[in-house]
Amino acid sequence: MKIKLAILGSDVSYLRKIVSVFNIKYADKLEVYSFTDMNTMFSELDENRVDVVLAEEVFDVDTKRLSPKCGFAYLVDKQGIESFRDQQAISKFQKADLIYKQILSVYSEKASAITGFGQEASACRILSFISAGGGMGCSVVAAAYAKRMAMRQKKVLYLNLEMFADTDLFFRGEGQFNFSDIIYALRNQKTNLSLKLESSIRQDPSGVMFYAGAKVSLDLKELKAEDVKRLLLEVRNAGTYDIVVIDSDFGADSISMAVWNEANGVVAVTDGEEISNKKLEKMYQVFRILEKKEDNSYLGKLTLLYNKFSSKTGSLIQGMGIPEIGGIPRYDHATAGMIVEKIASLDLLDKIG
């Protein structure tokens, strides 16, 4: 399936260039038509259906003449403009792949019923990283594991569902959209979720794919358990990733259980200190109770990884029977990004999953 795209422009040189790039890079995903006259464009649209229309800002387009199922956006000269004449705006002068993602976003708002956009289902493992308390470096370990798997040529998605996500400490990549846009798509049944996910993804230089953190942390409060389940099923079935790494808060709530139900494995991160071990014991009890209540094998998915472990201040947990992956040493006087890189170099992470 291809998106039929019409571009209306007065800058003939730009028009030729962008059409050429799209035809080369996205020949299997876009069918592009270009126009320099608005009346000619509308005449053609009366005869042929298109999915998205982009128009340079010199044209004052009467969008009421477009089909209700046709998406629309203005191509503008300046960066950082989100809307123009009460319509979505896309900067002309940015990388073609970023423009393409914004086209997908425009299309997703009109294509709620379309599924399977050029992708085939494949095996995908989902791993959830949790800790029974803060300060144990769970996010650092999850990010390091994602980078480790990308280094091993795996297609990896890092998905941070924490209320106060710190994704930007570990990953960087270009893009306009963030996780707030994903949340909106999940809550708005008219939006095509698979296209919104594709249009919002960013890629770190390491190869890890990720979504930028929510614009406002409270947006995460809008998520429901059914939204998380739908998100993970969509990601798993997309056929894009080998591994999905989920970094999420621990809680005995419906959202946490939705993550654990979909996960192939759950990695509990602790530092082995006395208070941490007590918290882990309580977390273990929560899993036991939920297993009986929900009739689901949570404990069978659980493994234990020690981080920032020191025999001087901590001790190994005894008697719970949780399989142990091993221990990661403490790295002092280093930034979070530096620590992630150091942990990502450890062969120990290959034992996860």
Side-chain angles (χ1 to χ4, degrees):
M1 186 208 74
K2 293 184 180 181
I3 296 175
K4 292 185 178 181
L5 171 68
I7 306 177
L8 176 62
S10 61
D11 186 339
V12 177
S13 176
Y14 175 82
L15 202 57
R16 288 174 179 169
K17 184 182 297 183
I18 193 67
V19 170
S20 175
V21 170
F22 282 162
N23 284 337
I24 293 171
K25 295 191 68 172
Y26 304 106
D28 58 334
K29 295 186 177 182
L30 294 177
E31 185 176 322
V32 187
Y33 306 89
S34 61
F35 303 92
T36 56
D37 180 78
M38 184 162 56
N39 291 328
T40 301
M41 182 192 75
F42 275 117
S43 177
E44 290 291 327
L45 295 188
D46 288 339
E47 300 293 329
N48 301 286
R49 177 188 65 83
V50 297
D51 302 303
V52 176
V53 172
L54 302 182
E56 290 185 345
E57 57 189 297
V58 295
F59 296 95
D60 189 358
V61 178
D62 182 3
T63 56
K64 292 180 181 179
R65 295 182 61 182
L66 298 174
S67 165
K69 295 183 179 180
C70 180
F72 178 83
Y74 276 108
L75 286 170
V76 298
D77 293 336
K78 294 182 179 180
Q79 294 275 2
I81 298 177
E82 296 184 359
S83 63
F84 182 77
R85 294 197 185 105
D86 296 323
Q87 300 292 334
Q88 184 171 331
I90 299 175
S91 173
K92 293 166 56 178
F93 304 110
Q94 57 181 325
K95 292 181 180 179
D97 59 339
L98 296 180
I99 296 177
Y100 170 70
K101 287 183 178 181
Q102 289 175 280
I103 291 170
L104 283 186
S105 180
V106 172
Y107 180 56
S108 71
E109 301 296 332
K110 301 288 184 177
S112 59
I114 295 176
T115 59
F117 187 65
Q119 297 170 333
E120 298 179 359
S122 66
C124 172
R125 290 186 60 78
I126 297 177
L127 295 174
S128 171
F129 285 73
I130 59 174
S131 63
M136 300 182 199
C138 182
S139 294
V140 170
V141 173
Y145 178 72
K147 289 200 173 188
R148 175 76 178 185
M149 292 300 100
M151 289 165 52
R152 298 182 70 80
Q153 308 305 312
K154 299 294 184 181
K155 296 178 181 177
V156 184
L157 171 65
Y158 174 83
L159 184 59
N160 197 322
L161 299 180
E162 292 182 306
M163 175 64 69
F164 303 110
D166 45 15
T167 306
D168 58 340
L169 288 177
F170 315 126
F171 305 106
R172 66 183 189 278
E174 294 181 306
Q176 179 180 351
F177 305 108
N178 55 54
F179 200 68
S180 293
D181 297 294
I182 303 301
I183 294 171
Y184 175 79
L186 286 164
R187 302 303 296 158
N188 181 6
Q189 296 298 321
K190 294 182 179 181
T191 300
N192 186 291
L193 180 60
S194 63
L195 295 182
K196 179 59 72 173
L197 290 173
E198 184 179 351
S199 68
S200 303
I201 199 71
R202 304 188 187 197
Q203 184 170 12
D204 182 75
S206 67
V208 176
M209 310 299 285
F210 69 100
Y211 296 106
K215 188 174 183 180
V216 179
S217 294
L218 285 175
D219 288 347
L220 273 295
K221 283 289 187 182
E222 298 295 321
L223 277 179
K224 308 297 181 184
E226 58 268 25
D227 299 326
V228 173
K229 182 177 181 180
R230 182 182 169 213
L231 171 62
L232 296 182
L233 286 174
E234 192 74 47
V235 167
R236 188 195 292 274
N237 294 334
T240 304
Y241 306 108
D242 300 312
I243 300 171
V244 177
V245 177
I246 301 177
D247 184 6
S248 60
D249 299 314
F250 173 78
D253 55 84
S254 59
I255 289 180
S256 294
M257 285 186 283
V259 172
W260 301 332
N261 283 334
E262 296 301 323
N264 299 98
V266 179
V267 182
V269 179
T270 186
D271 57 16
E273 295 191 5
E274 181 180 9
I275 189 170
S276 302
N277 287 352
K278 289 292 184 182
K279 289 181 178 180
L280 187 64
E281 289 174 5
K282 293 181 179 180
M283 184 180 75
Y284 180 80
Q285 292 301 321
V286 168
F287 275 116
R288 289 190 61 183
I289 293 170
L290 291 177
E291 271 203 346
K292 295 179 180 179
K293 183 179 178 180
E294 302 294 328
D295 192 26
N296 203 317
S297 179
Y298 296 124
L299 289 176
K301 300 179 179 181
L302 191 63
T303 54
L304 184 61
L305 177 61
Y306 291 93
N307 182 43
K308 300 189 296 183
F309 183 79
S310 170
S311 58
K312 296 179 179 179
T313 59
S315 60
L316 301 180
I317 295 172
Q318 305 293 328
M320 279 192 281
I322 304 175
E324 295 180 358
I325 297 167
I328 298 170
R330 178 185 295 274
Y331 296 102
D332 295 320
H333 312 297
T335 65
M338 293 169 60
I339 295 173
V340 166
E341 296 298 330
K342 288 179 178 292
I343 296 177
S345 68
L346 300 177
D347 294 341
L348 169 70
L349 298 189
D350 295 335
K351 297 180 182 180
I352 297 175

